[in-house]
mmCIF file of all heavy atoms in Angstrom:
data_model
loop_
_atom_site.group_PDB
_atom_site.id
_atom_site.type_symbol
_atom_site.label_atom_id
_atom_site.label_comp_id
_atom_site.label_asym_id
_atom_site.label_seq_id
_atom_site.Cartn_x
_atom_site.Cartn_y
_atom_site.Cartn_z
ATOM 1 N N THR A 327 41.392 80.615 50.866
ATOM 2 C CA THR A 327 42.754 80.933 50.224
ATOM 3 C C THR A 327 42.492 81.268 48.770
ATOM 4 O O THR A 327 41.917 80.283 48.021
ATOM 5 C CB THR A 327 43.512 79.635 50.447
ATOM 6 O OG1 THR A 327 43.600 79.217 51.754
ATOM 7 C CG2 THR A 327 44.997 79.926 49.952
ATOM 8 N N ALA A 328 42.844 82.344 48.363
ATOM 9 C CA ALA A 328 42.692 82.767 46.995
ATOM 10 C C ALA A 328 43.973 83.017 46.240
ATOM 11 O O ALA A 328 44.972 83.314 46.809
ATOM 12 C CB ALA A 328 41.830 84.114 47.023
ATOM 13 N N VAL A 329 43.866 82.921 44.927
ATOM 14 C CA VAL A 329 44.975 83.092 43.988
ATOM 15 C C VAL A 329 44.751 84.456 43.273
ATOM 16 O O VAL A 329 43.691 84.760 42.777
ATOM 17 C CB VAL A 329 45.121 82.126 42.972
ATOM 18 C CG1 VAL A 329 46.211 82.363 42.037
ATOM 19 C CG2 VAL A 329 45.349 80.704 43.658
ATOM 20 N N THR A 330 45.748 85.467 43.284
ATOM 21 C CA THR A 330 45.513 86.750 42.750
ATOM 22 C C THR A 330 45.861 86.720 41.164
ATOM 23 O O THR A 330 46.509 85.830 40.667
ATOM 24 C CB THR A 330 46.420 87.795 43.352
ATOM 25 O OG1 THR A 330 47.887 87.514 42.903
ATOM 26 C CG2 THR A 330 46.446 87.663 44.929
ATOM 27 N N THR A 331 45.271 87.712 40.562
ATOM 28 C CA THR A 331 45.526 87.852 39.044
ATOM 29 C C THR A 331 46.939 88.305 38.769
ATOM 30 O O THR A 331 47.340 88.271 37.596
ATOM 31 C CB THR A 331 44.457 88.764 38.531
ATOM 32 O OG1 THR A 331 44.546 90.110 39.361
ATOM 33 C CG2 THR A 331 43.028 88.343 38.570
ATOM 34 N N ASP A 332 47.708 88.727 39.767
ATOM 35 C CA ASP A 332 48.970 89.129 39.548
ATOM 36 C C ASP A 332 50.015 88.000 39.571
ATOM 37 O O ASP A 332 51.049 88.148 39.158
ATOM 38 C CB ASP A 332 49.417 90.165 40.662
ATOM 39 C CG ASP A 332 48.782 91.526 40.535
ATOM 40 O OD1 ASP A 332 48.151 91.770 39.493
ATOM 41 O OD2 ASP A 332 48.726 92.285 41.605
ATOM 42 N N SER A 333 49.557 86.915 39.999
ATOM 43 C CA SER A 333 50.392 85.692 40.068
ATOM 44 C C SER A 333 50.791 85.160 38.649
ATOM 45 O O SER A 333 49.875 85.015 37.793
ATOM 46 C CB SER A 333 49.759 84.607 40.858
ATOM 47 O OG SER A 333 50.637 83.357 40.871
ATOM 48 N N ALA A 334 51.940 84.838 38.452
ATOM 49 C CA ALA A 334 52.514 84.301 37.185
ATOM 50 C C ALA A 334 52.392 82.797 37.221
ATOM 51 O O ALA A 334 52.646 82.106 36.227
ATOM 52 C CB ALA A 334 53.849 84.841 36.889
ATOM 53 N N HIS A 335 51.935 82.238 38.367
ATOM 54 C CA HIS A 335 51.817 80.826 38.468
ATOM 55 C C HIS A 335 50.597 80.387 39.158
ATOM 56 O O HIS A 335 50.549 79.773 40.177
ATOM 57 C CB HIS A 335 53.068 80.304 39.376
ATOM 58 C CG HIS A 335 54.393 80.848 38.926
ATOM 59 N ND1 HIS A 335 55.100 80.334 37.765
ATOM 60 C CD2 HIS A 335 55.246 81.753 39.331
ATOM 61 C CE1 HIS A 335 56.175 80.901 37.540
ATOM 62 N NE2 HIS A 335 56.263 81.805 38.571
ATOM 63 N N ARG A 336 49.472 80.695 38.482
ATOM 64 C CA ARG A 336 48.127 80.608 39.077
ATOM 65 C C ARG A 336 47.823 79.020 39.321
ATOM 66 O O ARG A 336 47.259 78.679 40.328
ATOM 67 C CB ARG A 336 47.044 81.109 38.210
ATOM 68 C CG ARG A 336 47.300 82.699 38.199
ATOM 69 C CD ARG A 336 46.264 83.309 37.215
ATOM 70 N NE ARG A 336 46.639 84.664 36.863
ATOM 71 C CZ ARG A 336 46.054 85.383 35.882
ATOM 72 N NH1 ARG A 336 45.046 84.887 35.193
ATOM 73 N NH2 ARG A 336 46.447 86.636 35.585
ATOM 74 N N SER A 337 48.145 78.170 38.385
ATOM 75 C CA SER A 337 47.905 76.816 38.480
ATOM 76 C C SER A 337 48.586 76.166 39.742
ATOM 77 O O SER A 337 48.072 75.409 40.518
ATOM 78 C CB SER A 337 48.228 76.012 37.226
ATOM 79 O OG SER A 337 47.340 76.316 36.161
ATOM 80 N N ALA A 338 49.856 76.550 39.832
ATOM 81 C CA ALA A 338 50.718 76.054 40.953
ATOM 82 C C ALA A 338 50.191 76.610 42.281
ATOM 83 O O ALA A 338 50.078 75.861 43.264
ATOM 84 C CB ALA A 338 52.234 76.521 40.790
ATOM 85 N N ALA A 339 49.734 77.831 42.238
ATOM 86 C CA ALA A 339 49.161 78.411 43.413
ATOM 87 C C ALA A 339 47.802 77.777 43.897
ATOM 88 O O ALA A 339 47.611 77.459 45.058
ATOM 89 C CB ALA A 339 49.021 79.885 43.299
ATOM 90 N N ALA A 340 47.015 77.410 42.861
ATOM 91 C CA ALA A 340 45.763 76.760 43.101
ATOM 92 C C ALA A 340 45.942 75.396 43.630
ATOM 93 O O ALA A 340 45.207 74.950 44.483
ATOM 94 C CB ALA A 340 44.911 76.760 41.833
ATOM 95 N N LYS A 341 46.981 74.717 43.131
ATOM 96 C CA LYS A 341 47.341 73.416 43.653
ATOM 97 C C LYS A 341 47.717 73.497 45.066
ATOM 98 O O LYS A 341 47.262 72.559 45.872
ATOM 99 C CB LYS A 341 48.552 72.894 42.769
ATOM 100 C CG LYS A 341 48.799 71.363 43.046
ATOM 101 C CD LYS A 341 49.915 70.894 42.109
ATOM 102 C CE LYS A 341 49.384 70.762 40.769
ATOM 103 N NZ LYS A 341 50.367 70.083 39.822
ATOM 104 N N PHE A 342 48.416 74.410 45.497
ATOM 105 C CA PHE A 342 48.788 74.518 46.941
ATOM 106 C C PHE A 342 47.567 74.970 47.812
ATOM 107 O O PHE A 342 47.260 74.260 48.804
ATOM 108 C CB PHE A 342 49.795 75.707 47.149
ATOM 109 C CG PHE A 342 49.987 76.035 48.637
ATOM 110 C CD1 PHE A 342 50.590 75.297 49.508
ATOM 111 C CD2 PHE A 342 49.455 77.313 49.001
ATOM 112 C CE1 PHE A 342 50.681 75.696 50.873
ATOM 113 C CE2 PHE A 342 49.525 77.691 50.273
ATOM 114 C CZ PHE A 342 50.081 76.896 51.282
ATOM 115 N N ALA A 343 46.801 75.850 47.278
ATOM 116 C CA ALA A 343 45.494 76.208 48.060
ATOM 117 C C ALA A 343 44.574 75.094 48.263
ATOM 118 O O ALA A 343 44.037 74.938 49.287
ATOM 119 C CB ALA A 343 44.879 77.329 47.262
ATOM 120 N N THR A 344 44.505 74.210 47.191
ATOM 121 C CA THR A 344 43.677 73.081 47.359
ATOM 122 C C THR A 344 44.180 72.037 48.356
ATOM 123 O O THR A 344 43.442 71.554 49.174
ATOM 124 C CB THR A 344 43.556 72.336 45.967
ATOM 125 O OG1 THR A 344 42.996 73.253 44.964
ATOM 126 C CG2 THR A 344 42.593 71.165 46.020
ATOM 127 N N TRP A 345 45.454 71.757 48.278
ATOM 128 C CA TRP A 345 46.172 70.826 49.327
ATOM 129 C C TRP A 345 45.896 71.380 50.642
ATOM 130 O O TRP A 345 45.612 70.682 51.597
ATOM 131 C CB TRP A 345 47.572 70.776 48.939
ATOM 132 C CG TRP A 345 48.459 70.119 50.081
ATOM 133 C CD1 TRP A 345 48.630 68.744 50.169
ATOM 134 C CD2 TRP A 345 49.095 70.752 51.150
ATOM 135 N NE1 TRP A 345 49.423 68.451 51.247
ATOM 136 C CE2 TRP A 345 49.775 69.629 51.897
ATOM 137 C CE3 TRP A 345 49.235 72.041 51.524
ATOM 138 C CZ2 TRP A 345 50.442 69.838 53.048
ATOM 139 C CZ3 TRP A 345 49.983 72.225 52.767
ATOM 140 C CH2 TRP A 345 50.537 71.124 53.544
ATOM 141 N N LEU A 346 46.221 72.677 50.816
ATOM 142 C CA LEU A 346 46.148 73.361 52.152
ATOM 143 C C LEU A 346 44.786 73.149 52.893
ATOM 144 O O LEU A 346 44.742 72.840 54.096
ATOM 145 C CB LEU A 346 46.449 74.864 52.138
ATOM 146 C CG LEU A 346 46.416 75.667 53.343
ATOM 147 C CD1 LEU A 346 47.527 75.227 54.315
ATOM 148 C CD2 LEU A 346 46.443 77.066 53.054
ATOM 149 N N ASN A 347 43.654 73.172 52.120
ATOM 150 C CA ASN A 347 42.396 73.135 52.536
ATOM 151 C C ASN A 347 41.532 71.777 52.493
ATOM 152 O O ASN A 347 40.469 71.745 52.887
ATOM 153 C CB ASN A 347 41.589 74.322 52.045
ATOM 154 C CG ASN A 347 42.286 75.678 52.449
ATOM 155 O OD1 ASN A 347 42.530 75.798 53.570
ATOM 156 N ND2 ASN A 347 42.597 76.433 51.379
ATOM 157 N N THR A 348 42.147 70.755 51.830
ATOM 158 C CA THR A 348 41.568 69.521 51.703
ATOM 159 C C THR A 348 42.451 68.317 52.092
ATOM 160 O O THR A 348 41.779 67.171 52.364
ATOM 161 C CB THR A 348 41.174 69.253 50.122
ATOM 162 O OG1 THR A 348 42.386 69.085 49.386
ATOM 163 C CG2 THR A 348 40.267 70.423 49.654
ATOM 164 N N ASP A 349 43.718 68.444 52.193
ATOM 165 C CA ASP A 349 44.626 67.306 52.592
ATOM 166 C C ASP A 349 44.464 67.124 54.205
ATOM 167 O O ASP A 349 44.533 68.018 54.913
ATOM 168 C CB ASP A 349 46.086 67.645 52.300
ATOM 169 C CG ASP A 349 46.964 66.594 52.641
ATOM 170 O OD1 ASP A 349 47.079 65.554 51.927
ATOM 171 O OD2 ASP A 349 47.588 66.700 53.746
ATOM 172 N N GLY A 350 44.297 65.978 54.605
ATOM 173 C CA GLY A 350 44.137 65.582 56.079
ATOM 174 C C GLY A 350 45.356 66.053 56.870
ATOM 175 O O GLY A 350 45.112 66.578 57.951
ATOM 176 N N THR A 351 46.551 65.789 56.397
ATOM 177 C CA THR A 351 47.684 66.151 57.216
ATOM 178 C C THR A 351 47.750 67.843 57.431
ATOM 179 O O THR A 351 48.055 68.250 58.485
ATOM 180 C CB THR A 351 48.995 65.732 56.443
ATOM 181 O OG1 THR A 351 48.948 64.326 56.404
ATOM 182 C CG2 THR A 351 50.236 66.213 57.314
ATOM 183 N N ALA A 352 47.443 68.472 56.218
ATOM 184 C CA ALA A 352 47.501 69.929 56.375
ATOM 185 C C ALA A 352 46.332 70.542 57.273
ATOM 186 O O ALA A 352 46.739 71.352 58.084
ATOM 187 C CB ALA A 352 47.277 70.448 54.960
ATOM 188 N N LEU A 353 45.224 69.854 57.282
ATOM 189 C CA LEU A 353 44.186 70.405 58.001
ATOM 190 C C LEU A 353 44.318 70.040 59.492
ATOM 191 O O LEU A 353 43.935 70.924 60.296
ATOM 192 C CB LEU A 353 42.759 69.752 57.549
ATOM 193 C CG LEU A 353 42.374 70.242 56.169
ATOM 194 C CD1 LEU A 353 41.249 69.357 55.604
ATOM 195 C CD2 LEU A 353 41.914 71.693 56.317
ATOM 196 N N ASN A 354 44.939 68.907 59.770
ATOM 197 C CA ASN A 354 45.244 68.721 61.261
ATOM 198 C C ASN A 354 46.261 69.549 61.783
ATOM 199 O O ASN A 354 46.111 70.065 62.852
ATOM 200 C CB ASN A 354 45.791 67.136 61.258
ATOM 201 C CG ASN A 354 44.733 66.161 61.340
ATOM 202 O OD1 ASN A 354 43.617 66.446 61.807
ATOM 203 N ND2 ASN A 354 45.008 64.906 60.913
ATOM 204 N N ALA A 355 47.252 69.934 60.880
ATOM 205 C CA ALA A 355 48.201 70.984 61.271
ATOM 206 C C ALA A 355 47.609 72.240 61.442
ATOM 207 O O ALA A 355 47.956 73.020 62.349
ATOM 208 C CB ALA A 355 49.348 70.974 60.296
ATOM 209 N N LEU A 356 46.791 72.749 60.588
ATOM 210 C CA LEU A 356 45.999 73.941 60.805
ATOM 211 C C LEU A 356 45.206 74.022 62.022
ATOM 212 O O LEU A 356 45.250 74.961 62.589
ATOM 213 C CB LEU A 356 45.036 74.189 59.520
ATOM 214 C CG LEU A 356 45.656 74.817 58.284
ATOM 215 C CD1 LEU A 356 44.612 74.707 57.088
ATOM 216 C CD2 LEU A 356 46.056 76.164 58.463
ATOM 217 N N ALA A 357 44.602 72.940 62.336
ATOM 218 C CA ALA A 357 43.832 72.862 63.523
ATOM 219 C C ALA A 357 44.700 72.989 64.757
ATOM 220 O O ALA A 357 44.502 73.797 65.754
ATOM 221 C CB ALA A 357 43.021 71.636 63.598
ATOM 222 N N LYS A 358 45.837 72.319 64.723
ATOM 223 C CA LYS A 358 46.707 72.289 65.828
ATOM 224 C C LYS A 358 47.490 73.646 65.982
ATOM 225 O O LYS A 358 47.561 74.175 67.030
ATOM 226 C CB LYS A 358 47.850 71.270 65.720
ATOM 227 C CG LYS A 358 48.904 71.150 66.834
ATOM 228 C CD LYS A 358 49.911 70.026 66.484
ATOM 229 C CE LYS A 358 50.942 70.020 67.546
ATOM 230 N NZ LYS A 358 52.070 69.065 67.240
ATOM 231 N N GLU A 359 48.066 74.108 64.923
ATOM 232 C CA GLU A 359 48.842 75.412 64.878
ATOM 233 C C GLU A 359 48.080 76.691 64.776
ATOM 234 O O GLU A 359 48.509 77.663 65.535
ATOM 235 C CB GLU A 359 49.861 75.358 63.789
ATOM 236 C CG GLU A 359 50.774 74.087 63.659
ATOM 237 C CD GLU A 359 51.762 73.922 64.841
ATOM 238 O OE1 GLU A 359 51.921 75.075 65.504
ATOM 239 O OE2 GLU A 359 52.242 72.968 65.071
ATOM 240 N N GLY A 360 47.032 76.611 64.104
ATOM 241 C CA GLY A 360 46.221 77.868 63.970
ATOM 242 C C GLY A 360 44.876 77.903 64.679
ATOM 243 O O GLY A 360 44.239 78.955 64.666
ATOM 244 N N GLY A 361 44.472 76.780 65.207
ATOM 245 C CA GLY A 361 43.155 76.768 66.010
ATOM 246 C C GLY A 361 41.991 76.970 65.120
ATOM 247 O O GLY A 361 40.939 77.408 65.646
ATOM 248 N N ILE A 362 42.032 76.522 63.789
ATOM 249 C CA ILE A 362 40.880 76.791 62.919
ATOM 250 C C ILE A 362 39.855 75.635 63.082
ATOM 251 O O ILE A 362 40.234 74.492 63.397
ATOM 252 C CB ILE A 362 41.318 77.072 61.473
ATOM 253 C CG1 ILE A 362 41.851 75.669 60.993
ATOM 254 C CG2 ILE A 362 42.428 78.123 61.333
ATOM 255 C CD1 ILE A 362 41.580 75.474 59.528
ATOM 256 N N TYR A 363 38.666 75.943 62.660
ATOM 257 C CA TYR A 363 37.670 74.861 62.449
ATOM 258 C C TYR A 363 37.527 74.779 60.922
ATOM 259 O O TYR A 363 37.122 75.704 60.248
ATOM 260 C CB TYR A 363 36.296 75.247 63.018
ATOM 261 C CG TYR A 363 35.291 74.170 62.960
ATOM 262 C CD1 TYR A 363 35.338 72.960 63.686
ATOM 263 C CD2 TYR A 363 34.283 74.303 62.075
ATOM 264 C CE1 TYR A 363 34.505 72.036 63.603
ATOM 265 C CE2 TYR A 363 33.326 73.251 61.915
ATOM 266 C CZ TYR A 363 33.411 72.068 62.706
ATOM 267 O OH TYR A 363 32.545 71.122 62.468
ATOM 268 N N PRO A 364 37.942 73.507 60.347
ATOM 269 C CA PRO A 364 38.062 73.431 58.955
ATOM 270 C C PRO A 364 36.739 73.583 58.173
ATOM 271 O O PRO A 364 35.784 73.057 58.620
ATOM 272 C CB PRO A 364 38.709 72.093 58.709
ATOM 273 C CG PRO A 364 38.276 71.257 59.965
ATOM 274 C CD PRO A 364 38.226 72.325 61.100
ATOM 275 N N ALA A 365 36.739 74.054 56.989
ATOM 276 C CA ALA A 365 35.737 74.090 56.080
ATOM 277 C C ALA A 365 35.451 72.739 55.577
ATOM 278 O O ALA A 365 34.222 72.350 55.217
ATOM 279 C CB ALA A 365 35.856 75.171 55.017
ATOM 280 N N SER A 366 36.450 71.971 55.379
ATOM 281 C CA SER A 366 36.304 70.483 54.740
ATOM 282 C C SER A 366 35.402 69.746 55.693
ATOM 283 O O SER A 366 35.611 69.569 56.857
ATOM 284 C CB SER A 366 37.628 69.879 54.705
ATOM 285 O OG SER A 366 37.675 68.548 54.559
ATOM 286 N N SER A 367 34.413 69.204 55.137
ATOM 287 C CA SER A 367 33.488 68.371 55.875
ATOM 288 C C SER A 367 34.082 67.236 56.614
ATOM 289 O O SER A 367 33.811 66.937 57.693
ATOM 290 C CB SER A 367 32.261 67.940 54.980
ATOM 291 O OG SER A 367 31.598 69.146 54.487
#
Side-chain angles (χ1 to χ4, degrees):
T327 309
V329 177
T330 73
T331 51
D332 291 342
S333 176
H335 308 287
R336 295 177 197 170
S337 291
K341 186 172 292 185
F342 166 76
T344 303
W345 172 87
L346 179 67
N347 299 307
T348 62
D349 180 84
T351 300
L353 290 166
N354 279 333
L356 274 173
K358 178 184 177 183
E359 304 293 344
I362 70 145
Y363 183 73
S366 164
S367 298

